[in-house]
Amino acid sequence: MSPATPTRPEPVERATPLPRIRLLATGGTIAGAQTGGSRSYQAGAFSIDALIQAVPQLATLARLEVEQVAALGSQDMNEAIWLKLAARAEAALADPDIAAVVITHGTDTMEETGYFLNLTVHSPKPVVLVGAMRPATEISADGPMNLYNAVAVAASPDTRNRGVLVVANDEIHFAREVSKTNTTQVGTFKASHRGLAGLVHAGRLHLYAPPVLRHTTASEFSLAGLPALPRVDIVYAHAGMGRELIDAAVRAGAKGLVIAGVGDGNLNEAALTATAAAARAGVAVVRSSRTGGGVVERNIEVDDDALGFIASDELNPQKARVLLMLGLTRTADPRALQELFFTY
Ligand code: SIN
């Protein structure tokens, strides 16, 4: 070919194909559709295929394959679906050709599902939960960018071995740390203790330090052969609290109780009497806090040693419930359960 001959650039061959990512869909506002043009909407109305079609740029990040595991608002998320989700995620990640799992989920209980998976999916590969605060039909819906960012985070080999992550509002959170803190704002997710996992801007990642507590591959919890999780109830403490709800939870068969205590996980005399009786009867009692932040330490205003209680350490009531359910699959000993709260 003479040097003067104009040449057409050859199509660029990628050295490696885009990563294959399994998308497990469960519904949520990210798949929500407004009803009748008003602010009311139905969560989980759109299929995962429809969500993907709305973001054609996803095709530049990964080869996506989808599975609709559920189609609900996450207020209806439950332990049976957690068991199914964990099994579907583990099955996908066991395929050597699958690089990661992304889970679309409502924001209301995302922190619980994410923490559950953080303790039960035994894989170093990324597992990323994503949701949205505005329904897909809303002005300036946040779902499409959140989904794009979540797939970018999952597609990055740098997010392996960081535990389960949550992506929303340009932030990457550790599922263990994140909590929904606002009813409606897109910046609802906050991490009150150990901070952010990173940031993600239009698919570009800025990762911070990896987690130091045990998760995923180092977790001792196994769901193999487990038909259901033990019942654990949360009771919310308040001024003038009575003992009735604690007694009712025990009568209903709770194997564990999490008290969303006032302040530093405190509870009044009536509630203390009832929880002490529950602990003597073999119910695991965890003191957490309704404050939304801070560590609940042992033996400050409550004599945990004498009463056989467990302090929730950094975990808010809803996350303490997840860990207690899993802990009770291994032991009912309060001291051993306390160790789990320091470990996970
Ligand atoms: C839900 O959790 O399913 C509803 C709220 C949301 O997704 O933001």
Side-chain angles (χ1 to χ4, degrees):
M1 183 189 304
S2 94
T5 311
T7 56
R8 187 188 295 271
E10 291 295 319
V12 178
E13 287 282 321
R14 282 181 61 88
T16 50
L18 290 172
R20 232 178 104 203
I21 291 182
R22 178 78 51 87
L23 241 163
L24 304 179
T26 71
T29 296
I30 192 169
Q34 288 161 292
T35 44
S38 68
R39 288 196 58 232
S40 63
Y41 70 96
Q42 187 197 339
F46 288 112
S47 71
I48 185 63
D49 292 315
L51 298 189
I52 288 174
Q53 276 162 26
V55 192
Q57 298 86 340
L58 289 170
T60 66
L61 297 174
R63 292 172 290 150
L64 295 178
E65 50 191 52
V66 301
E67 187 178 332
Q68 192 86 43
V69 176
L72 41 77
S74 74
Q75 60 272 32
D76 288 322
M77 186 52 64
N78 58 41
E79 297 84 11
I81 304 176
W82 285 351
L83 294 175
K84 185 172 173 192
L85 259 183
R88 296 312 301 147
E90 283 219 307
L93 296 169
D95 181 340
D97 197 37
I98 298 250
V101 161
V102 172
I103 300 171
T104 55
H105 196 290
T107 58
D108 286 353
T109 60
M110 188 182 288
E111 63 194 271
E112 288 151 82
T113 302
Y115 186 45
F116 179 78
L117 298 175
N118 192 55
L119 298 173
T120 56
V121 174
H122 300 93
S123 172
K125 297 179 184 175
V127 174
V128 180
L129 278 80
V130 61
M133 291 299 286
R134 297 181 183 138
T137 52
E138 177 76 274
I139 297 168
S140 203
D142 50 335
M145 182 55 90
N146 284 351
L147 183 59
Y148 181 81
N149 279 337
V151 172
V153 167
S156 165
D158 296 336
T159 56
R160 288 170 65 100
N161 285 310
R162 285 174 190 261
V164 172
L165 301 171
V166 167
V167 169
N169 197 35
D170 286 5
E171 293 177 341
I172 310 167
H173 287 273
F174 298 114
R176 181 190 185 270
E177 307 303 325
V178 75
S179 205
K180 183 171 184 177
T181 64
N182 189 283
T183 53
T184 50
Q185 292 176 356
V186 293
T188 185
F189 285 118
K190 301 270 185 263
S192 58
H193 290 113
R194 291 165 189 262
L196 279 173
L199 298 174
V200 52
H201 297 137
R204 296 182 309 279
L205 277 63
H206 305 262
L207 291 174
Y208 303 156
V212 294
L213 296 175
R214 279 168 72 172
H215 60 81
T216 56
T217 48
S219 169
E220 68 203 73
F221 302 110
S222 166
L223 302 177
L226 197 70
L229 292 163
R231 176 176 178 148
V232 172
D233 290 335
I234 299 175
V235 181
Y236 200 93
H238 54 86
M241 181 183 192
R243 62 174 294 157
E244 295 81 4
L245 294 181
I246 294 167
D247 292 340
V250 174
R251 271 201 308 278
K255 301 286 178 273
L257 275 178
V258 175
I259 307 297
V262 296
D264 195 4
N266 288 322
L267 44 171
N268 69 8
E269 207 48 53
L272 261 185
T273 307
T275 42
R280 280 197 302 278
V283 176
V285 176
V286 173
R287 292 188 305 109
S288 182
S289 172
R290 67 177 199 177
T291 57
V295 177
V296 175
E297 293 178 286
R298 287 185 68 78
N299 301 321
I300 305 297
E301 288 187 71
V302 177
D303 191 343
D304 296 303
D305 289 345
L307 296 169
F309 289 173
I310 299 141
S312 71
D313 201 59
E314 295 174 1
L315 296 183
N316 67 21
Q318 54 272 32
K319 285 184 203 275
R321 175 175 177 267
V322 169
L323 181 56
L324 185 56
M325 283 194 294
L326 289 168
L328 285 168
T329 65
R330 299 190 64 77
T331 179
D333 174 11
R335 281 162 306 186
L337 288 165
Q338 181 67 72
E339 272 314 306
L340 297 177
F341 277 79
F342 293 145
T343 308
Y344 292 95

mmCIF file of all heavy atoms in Angstrom, residues 54 110 165 319 330:
data_model
loop_
_atom_site.group_PDB
_atom_site.id
_atom_site.type_symbol
_atom_site.label_atom_id
_atom_site.label_comp_id
_atom_site.label_asym_id
_atom_site.label_seq_id
_atom_site.Cartn_x
_atom_site.Cartn_y
_atom_site.Cartn_z
ATOM 1 N N ALA A 54 -33.761 1.587 29.440
ATOM 2 C CA ALA A 54 -33.729 3.044 29.656
ATOM 3 C C ALA A 54 -32.303 3.574 29.792
ATOM 4 O O ALA A 54 -32.102 4.787 29.802
ATOM 5 C CB ALA A 54 -34.539 3.385 30.910
ATOM 6 N N MET A 110 -33.009 -1.719 52.149
ATOM 7 C CA MET A 110 -31.787 -2.132 51.444
ATOM 8 C C MET A 110 -30.634 -2.407 52.415
ATOM 9 O O MET A 110 -29.826 -3.302 52.227
ATOM 10 C CB MET A 110 -31.386 -1.041 50.458
ATOM 11 C CG MET A 110 -30.237 -1.464 49.556
ATOM 12 S SD MET A 110 -29.739 -0.151 48.457
ATOM 13 C CE MET A 110 -31.084 -0.095 47.318
ATOM 14 N N LEU A 165 -21.693 -3.993 48.638
ATOM 15 C CA LEU A 165 -21.706 -2.531 48.503
ATOM 16 C C LEU A 165 -23.101 -2.039 48.117
ATOM 17 O O LEU A 165 -23.892 -2.787 47.536
ATOM 18 C CB LEU A 165 -20.690 -2.102 47.439
ATOM 19 C CG LEU A 165 -19.229 -2.504 47.706
ATOM 20 C CD1 LEU A 165 -18.369 -2.221 46.480
ATOM 21 C CD2 LEU A 165 -18.678 -1.779 48.934
ATOM 22 N N LYS A 319 -30.005 -3.682 61.728
ATOM 23 C CA LYS A 319 -28.830 -4.514 61.389
ATOM 24 C C LYS A 319 -28.523 -5.491 62.523
ATOM 25 O O LYS A 319 -28.105 -6.629 62.278
ATOM 26 C CB LYS A 319 -27.622 -3.633 61.116
ATOM 27 C CG LYS A 319 -27.712 -2.944 59.753
ATOM 28 C CD LYS A 319 -26.449 -2.174 59.502
ATOM 29 C CE LYS A 319 -26.674 -1.065 58.505
ATOM 30 N NZ LYS A 319 -26.576 -1.494 57.125
ATOM 31 N N ARG A 330 -26.113 -20.381 65.045
ATOM 32 C CA ARG A 330 -24.862 -21.017 65.492
ATOM 33 C C ARG A 330 -24.803 -21.226 66.993
ATOM 34 O O ARG A 330 -24.217 -22.187 67.475
ATOM 35 C CB ARG A 330 -23.652 -20.168 65.049
ATOM 36 C CG ARG A 330 -23.563 -20.017 63.538
ATOM 37 C CD ARG A 330 -22.259 -19.399 63.117
ATOM 38 N NE ARG A 330 -21.104 -20.227 63.446
ATOM 39 C CZ ARG A 330 -20.732 -21.294 62.779
ATOM 40 N NH1 ARG A 330 -21.426 -21.686 61.729
ATOM 41 N NH2 ARG A 330 -19.667 -21.980 63.148
#
